[in-house]
Amino acid sequence: MKQSVRATNFSGSWYPDSGLDDVIEDLLGNVSNDDTVPAKIIISPHAGYSYSAQTAAYGFSKLNTDVETIFVLAPNHRASLVTVSITPSDFVETPIGNIPVDKDVRSELLDTGLFNELSPFQDTNEHSHELQFPFLKHLMNKTQTDFKILPMLVPSLQSGKLEDVANALLPYFESNKFAFVISSDFCHYGKAFGYVLPASKTKDQPLHKAIEELDLRGAATIGSGYDAFYQYITETENTICGRNPILVMLKTIKISSKEGEWKVLNYSQSNPCRNNFDRSVSYCSMAFFEE
């Protein structure tokens, strides 16, 4: 039976299609090594590599790759989805080699009735999961590990459905055989994005610093858990595009018996905004370390 492959769609534009191993290794080389236990979960940005890849490298430098499968939970920017939807492919392509998809876990999740499969077009047309794949393949090559991945797109879910999805992911979260990559950028700022801060928030500091303060407050609420982050998003309406996969992951942690700690590893912005007609996107690399 012929194996299906999700072809790259953003290589050569959002990230290099040649010399990619060297590019990623240089990015990882800029991150200082320490003896921390590998992370169970990372939050990683998904903008073009010239903007966000260095911040992403901080997370991938900590990710536990000594596992059977790494889930990739990403937001849907283009496809209209009614529930969490999984890649239909058997492999995902990167310029440095293909990565196998965990078809067994996909079948288990589809059997719950809570998950759908993406169409091939929906899958290929989304960038937020694809931007994670080269880092994962590089780590696979570098560490000589043979993990699989399971990419899925997470739309906005009603609270009951969100909790059902979190419960479905719970056995995998609680197993040492699995790790998670959550794909998200942080604030998309400026009138072009339809998001600006009130003048009272920016009168005493440069605008880009106020945006940073907003984002890092959001990161702190991720560290405090599902309820805190949900309240933060409701109150600030910060344009964190991966808020839905983050919420699913935080709900899974909340109902789990496992405990751990979130840490901010790196923060950056595409452009230091000076006024509301400027635009910027923020990137925050975070990791969850089990206790």
Side-chain angles (χ1 to χ4, degrees), residues 197 201-202 205-215 269:
L197 289 170
K201 298 289 186 181
T202 62
Q205 60 182 327
L207 178 54
H208 68 94
K209 284 294 185 181
I211 297 167
E212 179 178 355
E213 182 180 273
L214 171 73
D215 282 327
Q269 296 173 355

Side-chain angles (χ1 to χ4, degrees), residues 114-129:
L114 296 168
F115 298 76
N116 289 340
E117 273 193 343
L118 293 163
S119 72
F121 176 77
Q122 290 172 327
D123 194 18
T124 305
N125 201 38
E126 179 59 56
H127 68 277
S128 63
H129 56 355

Side-chain angles (χ1 to χ4, degrees), residues 11 15-25 49 94-96 134 138:
S11 63
Y15 61 93
D17 55 5
S18 61
L20 190 53
D21 260 327
D22 291 338
V23 169
I24 294 175
E25 186 59 27
Y49 276 21
T94 81
I96 50 178
H138 177 83

Side-chain angles (χ1 to χ4, degrees), residues 210-229:
I211 297 167
E212 179 178 355
E213 182 180 273
L214 171 73
D215 282 327
L216 293 182
R217 184 155 60 91
T221 65
I222 289 173
S224 297
Y226 174 87
D227 295 322
F229 183 65

Side-chain angles (χ1 to χ4, degrees), residues 29 176 204:
N176 293 330
D204 296 326

